[in-house]
Amino acid sequence: RTIWGIPNFWNVVSNVPFLGALYPAYVMLRRPQLCTHPWEAYAWAGFFAAVAAVTFGSSYFHWNPNDDTLVWDRLPMTFAFSPLFSLVTGERVNNALGKGLLVPLLINGGVSILVWVFTGDLRWYAWVQAFPILVLPVLLALFPPLYTHATSFLWAAAWYVLATVLQSADKTVWEWSGGMMGGHALKHFAVNGTVWTLHHMLVTRRRVDPLTGLPGGRYERCADDEVGARGTPLLTVDLRSADEGQSSSHPLESNETARL
């Protein structure tokens, strides 16, 4: 439907809210301390920036739908999925692995678009999109979180599932609305729920003490080679006797700390 001279009006203007993702990107660049490792903050900023770029790519496509404009719709989405998978891998599995996957995944996403453009084969691109959706739930289920608010990932996924359902029901929603708006436009709004859920998680979460499973704990910054398998800064604990409030007979002096 054309409204105010804009073809496919709702499919076009429903992309505008994606531009708001520039704010979370800005926050992550200004506050890298929200993450344990600086690369994570920059990767999150890249994720949000890619989401913001969807505003232009998707609007351009829906204004004039064809294979040439579809490239600009799919490209920013590909660059959003790639860092997200890298970030969850680094946080839940191994920091070095997640960091090492970031650039190769971005390159892989870009190549999948080029393969589709020059050969018409969508299988590589489809795999780039499907792989994180299939594997991320497994990583989140099998590996314990380093931060509080871990359930935010579930809420973010719920928004994305809703978006997928709305996309599948595009024609049905169109009929229910009397031809005003299809499910695809509502999908755009639902995906924004995913974006802002992740932003809220990042600015409110706290590190979890690995000994107690509770927020808090005293951490010290370490070089990458001093960090544990999952990239967890080593905890420092003052060795004192709980009974006497005095130094224990441990070989370390009372003012020393032990690495766990």
Side-chain angles (χ1 to χ4, degrees):
R1 163 176 288 197
T2 299
I3 302 177
W4 298 335
I6 301 176
N8 305 310
F9 178 81
W10 286 110
N11 283 351
V12 172
V13 300
S14 60
N15 286 289
V16 174
F18 287 124
L19 194 59
L22 285 176
Y23 174 71
Y26 169 77
V27 170
M28 298 311 296
L29 290 175
R30 289 298 303 271
R31 300 175 60 191
Q33 68 273 19
L34 289 172
C35 298
T36 303
H37 303 278
W39 77 268
E40 295 174 300
Y42 301 136
W44 275 115
F47 164 77
F48 289 119
V51 171
V54 170
T55 300
F56 306 101
S58 185
S59 295
Y60 180 43
F61 165 69
H62 288 295
W63 189 294
N64 181 28
N66 59 68
D67 286 346
D68 292 334
T69 57
L70 183 57
V71 173
W72 302 105
D73 181 34
R74 288 177 170 170
L75 192 61
M77 290 189 291
T78 300
F79 288 143
F81 273 107
S82 298
L84 186 60
F85 181 78
S86 172
L87 283 161
V88 174
T89 300
E91 180 181 319
R92 292 298 184 98
V93 183
N94 181 280
N95 175 67
L97 176 61
K99 183 178 180 180
L101 283 174
L102 180 59
V103 173
L105 286 175
L106 289 171
I107 294 174
N108 183 58
V111 170
S112 73
I113 294 292
L114 292 176
V115 170
W116 164 60
V117 169
F118 289 105
T119 69
D121 190 340
L122 271 173
R123 287 177 295 178
W124 193 340
Y125 171 79
W127 179 246
V128 168
Q129 298 290 308
F131 183 75
I133 296 174
L134 295 173
V135 178
L136 284 179
V138 177
L139 298 183
L140 294 171
L142 294 181
F143 296 92
L146 293 180
Y147 302 92
T148 60
H149 295 74
T151 55
S152 293
F153 281 114
L154 299 179
W155 287 109
W159 278 110
Y160 194 82
V161 169
L162 175 60
T164 303
V165 171
L166 290 169
Q167 173 64 40
S168 301
D170 182 50
K171 185 177 180 181
T172 302
V173 174
W174 174 265
E175 294 172 351
W176 286 352
S177 67
M180 175 63 70
M181 181 187 300
H184 186 82
L186 294 179
K187 166 197 170 183
H188 293 159
F189 293 117
V191 172
N192 272 278
T194 295
V195 174
W196 290 101
T197 298
L198 292 174
H199 168 65
H200 180 265
M201 175 193 73
L202 290 169
V203 298
T204 57
R205 68 184 186 176
R206 296 174 59 195
R207 282 294 302 265
V208 173
D209 189 319
L211 298 181
T212 66
L214 299 174
R218 291 165 45 198
Y219 295 88
E220 61 179 17
R221 290 282 181 178
C222 309
D224 286 344
D225 58 354
E226 293 183 285
V227 175
R230 295 172 58 210
T232 307
L234 300 174
L235 183 66
T236 61
V237 179
D238 195 4
L239 296 176
R240 295 183 179 274
S241 169
D243 295 330
E244 301 176 4
Q246 300 293 330
S247 302
S248 71
S249 58
H250 193 280
L252 291 175
E253 295 294 333
S254 61
N255 62 349
E256 292 186 274
T257 58
R259 296 199 173 224
L260 299 183

